[in-house]
């Protein structure tokens, strides 16, 4: 079936560097995408979302880019901090009135001081 | 503002015992509610979702059931736990007519 996946299971960066976490999706009908951050032992925390009618959306230190041509989603974190260390999940909306999300496997981001 | 609660935070249960996990949402009405399970180092698997009181949809056949006795209360249950039921259980809510889901703190279940 169609699913959301991630290119890199782990990413290690130096504090202050920019981080880029990638996600591939295969459902061309998906029209909503979302990134979550999950710290160890906690529930996922909403970071940023984007609809398919947009290519880019910026938040505080984070930017999400959507390339519908190649079905690719990325999360950019500027000036990465130790507190950014976590697992990051992308998810897509399958459509329909129940608003179910399909989640990728996650990328572990480790920030080295 | 809206908040979502889950309890207990952790639970250790013997195989064959019953289970009841509770989730409640505050600060909103008529939300969509979701139960997920997350195995160690894995992604989130949707177990159940509910669009209203008494309305439950199951995503995967399993040993678990869900109920929604009140608008902002979602319960995950089992009559007899299996070892494979161990995991991190997450409840989430979304506003009606929006896709964004907000997660609770989770319950870590260990079945021995």
């Amino acid at each position: 079936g169609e699913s959301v996946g991630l290119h890199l299971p782990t990413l290690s960066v130096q504090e202050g560097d920019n981080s880029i976490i990638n996600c591939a999706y295969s459902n061309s009908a998906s029209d909503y995408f979302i990134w979550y951050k999950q710290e160890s032992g906690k529930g996922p925390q909403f970071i940023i979302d984007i609809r398919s009618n947009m290519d880019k959306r910026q938040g505080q230190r984070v930017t999400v880019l959507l390339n519908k041509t190649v079905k690719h989603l990325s999360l950019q974190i500027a000036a990465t901090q130790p507190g950014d260390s976590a697992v990051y999940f992308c998810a897509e909306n399958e459509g329909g009135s129940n608003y179910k999300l399909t989640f990728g496997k996650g990328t572990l981001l480790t920030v080295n001081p | 503002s809206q908040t979502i609660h889950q309890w207990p935070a952790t639970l250790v249960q013997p195989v064959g015992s019953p289970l009841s996990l509770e989730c409640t949402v505050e600060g909103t009405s008529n939300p969509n509610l979701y139960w997920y399970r997350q195995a160690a180092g894995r992604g989130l698997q949707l177990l159940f979702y509910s669009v209203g009181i008494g309305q439950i949809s199951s995503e995967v056949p399993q040993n678990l059931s869900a109920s929604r006795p009140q608008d902002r209360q979602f319960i995950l249950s089992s009559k007899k736990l299996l070892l494979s039921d161990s995991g991190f259980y997450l409840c989430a809510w979304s506003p009606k007519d929006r896709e964004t889901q907000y997660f609770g703190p989770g319950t870590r279940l260990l079945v021995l």
Side-chain angles (χ1 to χ4, degrees), chain B residues 30-89:
Chain B
N30 196 26
N32 289 341
L33 296 173
Y34 309 84
W35 276 114
Y36 291 86
R37 177 168 57 205
Q38 184 176 34
R42 304 289 294 275
L44 281 72
Q45 179 188 31
L46 180 63
L47 303 175
F48 302 94
Y49 68 91
S50 171
V51 298
I53 295 174
Q55 301 179 61
I56 309 295
S57 296
S58 175
E59 289 296 295
V60 293
Q62 59 203 321
N63 184 42
L64 302 169
S65 62
S67 62
R68 185 171 177 174
Q70 300 181 45
D71 180 45
R72 292 169 291 173
Q73 184 185 31
F74 206 20
I75 297 172
L76 184 68
S77 304
S78 174
K79 293 182 178 178
K80 288 186 178 182
L81 283 169
L82 306 172
L83 287 173
S84 58
D85 291 324
S86 294
F88 192 45
Y89 288 83

Side-chain angles (χ1 to χ4, degrees), chain A residues 49-85:
Chain A
D49 57 3
I50 189 169
R51 296 200 175 275
S52 60
N53 61 354
M54 301 173 68
D55 297 323
K56 179 180 180 180
R57 191 165 186 224
Q58 288 184 293
Q60 187 176 17
R61 281 202 306 120
V62 295
T63 301
V64 56
L65 299 177
L66 177 62
N67 186 330
K68 295 179 287 294
T69 302
V70 296
K71 298 188 184 70
H72 185 267
L73 187 71
S74 68
L75 176 70
Q76 300 179 1
I77 305 173
T80 314
Q81 303 169 0
D84 295 326
S85 295

Side-chain angles (χ1 to χ4, degrees), chain B residues 9-31:
Chain B
T10 59
L11 189 61
V12 180
Q13 291 285 95
V15 170
S17 64
L19 173 73
S20 180
L21 302 182
E22 190 162 343
C23 170
T24 58
V25 182
E26 296 178 353
T28 188
S29 61
N30 196 26

Side-chain angles (χ1 to χ4, degrees), chain A residues 13-31:
Chain A
V13 301
Q14 290 299 121
E15 182 178 359
D17 288 351
N18 296 333
S19 302
I20 300 176
I21 300 171
N22 297 302
C23 179
Y25 66 95
S26 57
N27 188 346
S28 57
S30 293
D31 61 0

